[in-house]
Amino acid sequence: MRKVQYILIALIILLMNFNLSAQEDTSKSTITSTLKSDITKFWCDAGDITVSPLSFTANNWLTVGAVVGGVALIFTLDEPIHRQVLRHQSEAASDIVEIGRLYGRGRYVLGFSSGLYLTGLLFNNNNIKNTGFMMVESILFAGGITFALKGFLARSRPYLNEGALEFNVWEFSDYDRMSLPSGHATFAFAISTVLSTQIKNPLATLGFYTLATLTTASRLYYDQHWASDTFLGAAIGTTIGLMVVDLHEKRDQQTVFNIYPVPNGLRAELSF
């Protein structure tokens, strides 16, 4: 648990030092009304993400094709990479990749993201709250896609020694056959993408993506995933992270009319 605490503390220090909370929150809404508003936003964003392929441009589809092609290419290298990784085990390497394993663990990243959201909510800081909110959305949306693909493809994990091309299709209950994509890689790249876009500091970006890369390395090192699993998970996490940030930026640029309760009645506010 100490390693987890160190990672969370390091993230908090980054958030403080790189002025994530530089802008003041001007909203006067109550915590309850803010929660209700954010729940509504969550479902709207979920709907937008779900139907987004219907409005993909040619460039978007080229990106999808590049990811699929990359996964197919790495398929051919999965077994050689797997053998090489297992041949280079060491105590020093174990200590390093363990950081990545913890960074991409679902309950840790969701707990940290939720904690960040609640901190911003309780201390009336919109920037921190929105960053936590985007992280939670990215984790849940990207995680949902990853879980669906895991069950549909039902790829055998490498430690079963069934080969890199063993698929069972439609198996949501057998952990041993839910290898593709990697959930850890999905989560790690989703939160790294959101944090790097919000902090906007090259050193922070390098740090977050280094942690995410260590996460993918840990899944290979611990024999939990094939290289193509981690590549696809990283692509899903990064893509959904960017889409969530884009949705929030577009919403912030829109003119919004809000009515909410105050001690003496109702207050109307027009924001741009």
Side-chain angles (χ1 to χ4, degrees):
M1 286 300 294
R2 285 186 177 181
K3 290 182 179 179
V4 179
Q5 293 170 355
Y6 293 154
I7 293 171
L8 297 185
I9 290 170
L11 289 173
I12 292 170
I13 290 173
L14 281 171
L15 294 175
M16 293 173 63
N17 287 346
F18 294 117
N19 298 319
L20 182 62
S21 56
Q23 298 179 355
E24 293 183 2
D25 178 19
T26 57
S27 173
K28 303 298 182 182
S29 60
T30 64
I31 290 178
T32 300
S33 62
T34 300
L35 282 171
K36 290 180 178 179
S37 174
D38 285 344
I39 290 172
T40 300
K41 292 176 184 176
F42 175 88
W43 289 114
C44 289
D45 290 345
D48 288 340
I49 294 290
T50 301
V51 302
S52 60
L54 298 177
S55 58
F56 274 7
T57 64
N59 286 335
N60 293 142
W61 285 114
L62 282 174
T63 301
V64 173
V67 170
V68 174
V71 172
L73 176 63
I74 299 174
F75 268 165
T76 66
L77 302 173
D78 273 333
E79 295 196 18
I81 291 173
H82 175 247
R83 289 193 295 269
Q84 287 299 316
V85 170
L86 294 185
R87 285 174 186 163
H88 293 83
Q89 306 277 326
S90 70
E91 185 175 346
S94 297
D95 290 338
I96 294 173
V97 298
E98 178 67 7
I99 296 172
R101 184 183 71 85
L102 296 172
Y103 184 72
R105 197 161 189 176
R107 62 173 176 265
Y108 294 150
V109 294
L110 187 57
F112 175 70
S113 303
S114 301
L116 198 63
Y117 171 80
L118 292 174
T119 298
L121 182 66
L122 294 174
F123 288 92
N124 203 34
N125 188 303
N126 235 9
N127 285 322
I128 291 178
K129 177 184 75 69
N130 289 339
T131 298
F133 185 35
M134 284 187 281
M135 290 169 67
V136 170
E137 284 192 325
S138 297
I139 290 166
L140 294 179
F141 298 159
I145 293 170
T146 292
F147 180 77
L149 288 173
K150 279 177 175 288
F152 176 74
L153 298 172
R155 187 186 196 185
S156 295
R157 294 183 184 269
Y159 57 74
L160 294 178
N161 296 316
E162 295 178 351
L165 299 178
E166 182 65 27
F167 293 85
N168 300 277
V169 185
W170 206 257
E171 177 57 76
F172 286 88
S173 59
D174 189 350
Y175 175 83
D176 293 338
R177 290 176 171 80
M178 296 180 71
S179 188
L180 180 68
S182 165
H184 280 67
T186 298
F187 296 143
F189 276 88
I191 65 170
S192 289
T193 298
V194 173
L195 286 170
S196 64
T197 59
Q198 294 305 104
I199 294 175
K200 294 181 175 66
N201 181 283
L203 289 177
T205 297
L206 177 62
F208 289 128
Y209 281 110
T210 296
L211 285 171
T213 301
L214 283 176
T215 297
T216 64
S218 74
R219 305 316 287 158
L220 304 181
Y221 188 86
Y222 290 121
D223 205 19
Q224 294 294 307
H225 285 286
W226 304 99
S228 53
D229 300 341
T230 62
F231 177 81
L232 182 56
I236 293 171
T238 301
T239 300
I240 296 300
L242 290 173
M243 291 177 71
V244 167
V245 170
D246 185 60
L247 285 173
H248 281 253
E249 289 179 348
K250 288 179 178 178
R251 184 186 297 122
D252 291 342
Q253 293 170 0
Q254 294 175 347
T255 300
V256 180
F257 182 70
N258 290 318
I259 298 179
Y260 47 83
V262 293
N264 297 323
L266 296 176
R267 178 186 178 89
E269 183 178 272
L270 185 65
S271 59
F272 299 88

